[in-house]
Amino acid sequence: MPWQPFLSVIPGSVPADLAIKHITCSDISDNWPMKDQVVEQIDDINQQLACDLSLEAPEIFVDNLGKRRIRCRNKLSEQAFRSRPALEEWRCQLVPTALALWAVQHPLAVRLISGGEMDLNSRPWFIHANDARGIRSRAKVMAAIADFHLNDSVAANWISLACGAAVPVLKTLHSAKLKSQKFTLLLIDHDRQSLKFARGLATQYGLVEGQHFQLLMRNLFDRMIVTDKLVQELGEQSAELVDGLGIFEYFSESEAVHFIRHALRLVKPGGVLIISNMLKTSPQIDFALRCVGWTTIYPRTLFELREIILAAGINLQNVTVTLPSDGVYAVMEINVRE
């Protein structure tokens, strides 16, 4: 994967005592048709929303037949969904489950996981929307970190917290598994359908349940924030690598502190915890939250992330933050020293 350093830094935008790595990585949108037109179109929607905070996100309701439908509450959302049936089905049937990410991770797929056909107006948004690119780039960052930790090990354990469909995890492990003599992957999520999908994908990659991977249905809020029951169940220092790539930004500040503290207890000395958070400066954040209507999250600045890390009792010298050039996510690598 060709990565290049990305050196544009706005003065004062990053904490001076936090190690920051700026990178650019290749993406399907780089050379795909209509990029400039689609980006301009979404930027225009985003700008209109940013200028009028009274414009509300769409809401989902259940009709008399028990079918989930969308109710747009601003004209920009209405126009966006009117000519994009795949986008509407994706929003109604898949969001906020982890299965929604499949269309972003595989925008050239013929159909959504829910069965609907990808139409010509929806596909360019799944390819070129900045948030879609951010989902793909954060997965590549995690893959590079994980690859470093897994391939130098005779044996390695990976725990994925709130794994969802586990697409980036399984892709990473699939490419790394032949270089490691032994590995185990524990996929943990509260959603039965997402775990079922993850099982099928892992099997397609040639991984054997009970030998290479295991599934565990648990609610992280109850067992990793309110209590430490999951740590007690799995055992402290039980994995070289622990990730919560897609869950951290759904926690409030106090919840995020508890999550980090408990998750780090699962990491062996020499291992790493990987988490990510959408940045408040994400270029199309209003489009994502109030046009498409993604589930409520806590976008944060690097300074806010720094305060959470410190509140969790972590030495900043053990933390590296990677910022892909798309500007959507901060990916945090927290190392546990030997």
Side-chain angles (χ1 to χ4, degrees):
M1 180 177 63
W3 289 28
Q4 297 176 349
F6 180 73
L7 302 177
S8 177
V9 179
I10 300 173
S13 63
V14 299
D17 54 357
L18 196 58
I20 304 292
K21 183 187 299 182
H22 296 265
I23 61 100
T24 297
C25 50
S26 61
D27 185 74
I28 186 174
S29 66
D30 291 339
N31 301 304
W32 199 261
M34 299 175 61
K35 178 179 180 179
D36 291 342
Q37 299 96 309
V38 174
V39 171
E40 182 178 354
Q41 179 185 42
I42 295 176
D43 281 342
D44 180 62
I45 295 172
N46 186 79
Q47 182 61 34
Q48 291 185 64
L49 288 166
C51 291
D52 188 350
L53 299 181
S54 69
L55 299 178
E56 297 181 273
E59 61 181 4
I60 303 300
F61 68 97
V62 180
D63 67 14
N64 294 333
L65 299 176
K67 186 174 181 179
R68 289 166 58 87
R69 295 190 178 278
I70 192 166
R71 180 183 292 116
C72 293
R73 298 190 288 180
N74 68 69
K75 64 179 182 179
L76 297 168
S77 279
E78 185 179 345
Q79 293 168 359
F81 286 103
R82 182 183 300 152
S83 61
R84 296 178 177 84
L87 184 71
E88 181 174 350
E89 178 174 329
W90 175 82
R91 179 63 184 87
C92 291
Q93 307 304 324
L94 295 173
V95 176
T97 74
L99 297 178
L101 296 183
W102 177 263
V104 175
Q105 294 155 337
H106 301 84
L108 300 186
V110 176
R111 293 186 178 276
L112 301 172
I113 286 180
S114 52
E117 185 175 351
M118 179 69 76
D119 61 89
L120 293 178
N121 289 329
S122 297
R123 190 189 304 279
W125 280 22
F126 286 111
I127 293 175
H128 296 302
N130 210 58
D131 291 349
R133 179 164 184 151
I135 291 288
R136 296 189 291 266
S137 68
R138 76 175 184 182
K140 292 180 180 180
V141 173
M142 183 180 72
I145 298 169
D147 192 63
F148 173 80
H149 281 270
L150 292 179
N151 288 342
D152 290 338
S153 303
V154 174
N157 298 326
W158 184 342
I159 297 174
S160 185
L161 301 169
C163 66
V167 174
V169 174
L170 289 169
K171 281 188 173 181
T172 298
L173 198 54
H174 178 60
S175 64
K177 71 184 185 71
L178 296 179
K179 303 175 187 178
S180 179
Q181 294 182 23
K182 183 180 179 181
F183 68 90
T184 58
L185 172 64
L186 180 58
L187 299 173
I188 303 174
D189 202 275
H190 75 285
D191 181 52
R192 189 182 303 275
Q193 288 301 112
S194 293
L195 287 177
K196 181 180 178 180
F197 186 89
R199 174 187 282 121
L201 186 60
T203 301
Q204 288 181 31
Y205 284 156
L207 306 182
V208 178
E209 188 170 2
Q211 178 181 346
H212 300 124
F213 74 95
Q214 296 181 22
L215 307 178
L216 188 62
M217 193 165 69
R218 296 289 186 271
N219 185 309
L220 290 189
F221 187 81
D222 292 336
R223 293 173 178 266
M224 283 288 287
I225 293 175
V226 177
T227 72
D228 66 348
K229 288 181 179 179
L230 188 60
V231 179
Q232 296 179 39
E233 179 180 359
L234 301 181
E236 299 201 20
Q237 300 183 9
S238 54
E240 280 77 13
L241 193 154
V242 176
D243 88 87
L245 192 71
I247 191 62
F248 189 75
E249 61 194 357
Y250 291 93
F251 298 141
S252 68
E253 182 177 344
S254 61
E255 292 165 354
V257 170
H258 286 297
F259 177 81
I260 290 179
R261 286 174 176 168
H262 292 156
L264 280 174
R265 289 168 58 192
L266 295 171
V267 183
K268 294 180 180 180
V272 65
L273 169 65
I274 306 172
I275 52 180
S276 72
N277 208 116
M278 180 176 282
L279 293 165
K280 281 186 176 178
T281 52
S282 179
Q284 295 172 354
I285 192 168
D286 290 287
F287 166 79
L289 299 182
R290 292 194 288 132
C291 178
V292 174
W294 189 259
T295 309
T296 302
I297 57 174
Y298 294 90
R300 294 183 169 106
T301 67
L302 291 176
F303 289 93
E304 289 170 333
L305 291 173
R306 174 186 179 276
E307 291 307 307
I308 290 174
I309 291 169
L310 288 173
I314 298 167
N315 188 327
L316 293 180
Q317 293 182 354
N318 296 334
V319 181
T320 299
V321 179
T322 299
L323 302 177
S325 59
D326 49 66
V328 180
Y329 285 98
V331 182
M332 290 159 281
E333 174 184 353
I334 304 175
N335 291 281
V336 177
R337 301 300 180 187
E338 295 187 77

